[in-house]
């Protein structure tokens, strides 16, 4: 029996004020309602399963999320970039998302980092 599995990558932003003066906003540890929709962003790569494995925040506040998108039985690298407010950054890839292959088999990103020059580095596995 084949099951249809529909998953999406979820990004949330928790409120963690750094000073007592900022504590007028959301309670520390609660979702930040100014990010995405009530503190959550759902990324759907139009695939059977999406998994976020790494996240990094760029100097300008944009958020890069890396992971895996499985479609038609094949897992591929998936990277998305959001604005600081949690909206897809439409200047990145197609609609803020990029999906790519590095091998014939299954693969996916396990982490993401930034080089000093701001370039995005994605690491993962391919088998």
């Amino acid at each position: 029996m084949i099951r249809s599995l529909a998953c999406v990558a979820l990004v949330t932003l928790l409120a963690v004020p750094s000073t007592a003066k900022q504590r007028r906003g959301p309670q520390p540890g609660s979702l930040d309602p100014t990010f995405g929709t009530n503190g959550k962003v759902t990324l759907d790569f139009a695939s059977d399963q999406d998994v976020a494995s790494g996240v990094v925040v760029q100097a300008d506040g944009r958020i890069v999320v890396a992971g895996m998108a499985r479609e038609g039985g094949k897992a591929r690298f998936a990277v998305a970039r959001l604005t600081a407010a949690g909206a897809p950054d439409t200047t990145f890839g197609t609609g803020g998302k990029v999906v790519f292959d590095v091998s014939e088999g299954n693969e996916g990103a396990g982490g993401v980092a930034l080089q000093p020059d701001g370039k995005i580095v994605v690491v993962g596995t391919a088998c």
Side-chain angles (χ1 to χ4, degrees):
M1 178 172 156
I2 298 174
R3 283 187 167 171
S4 175
L5 177 63
C7 297
V8 294
L10 177 66
V11 180
T12 61
L13 183 65
L14 297 177
V16 184
S18 59
T19 67
K21 195 177 207 179
Q22 293 175 330
R23 293 185 190 211
R24 289 179 273 216
Q27 179 70 17
S30 64
L31 294 178
D32 181 348
T34 66
F35 179 76
T37 303
N38 298 320
K40 298 176 268 186
V41 173
T42 302
L43 301 171
D44 187 357
F45 286 82
S47 62
D48 300 331
Q49 181 182 20
D50 299 321
V51 177
S53 303
V55 64
V56 67
V57 179
Q58 296 179 306
D60 60 3
R62 291 183 291 181
I63 302 162
V64 179
V65 181
M68 177 272 299
R70 181 182 303 277
E71 186 168 31
K74 180 167 178 3
R76 301 171 7 165
F77 277 78
V79 181
R81 187 163 67 186
L82 306 171
T83 66
D89 179 356
T90 57
T91 66
F92 183 80
T94 303
K97 299 179 268 188
V98 175
V99 177
F100 60 94
D101 290 314
V102 297
S103 74
E104 295 286 324
N106 288 308
E107 55 204 31
V112 61
L114 295 175
Q115 293 183 166
D117 63 1
K119 291 181 181 174
I120 300 166
V121 179
V122 178
V123 298
T125 59
C127 35

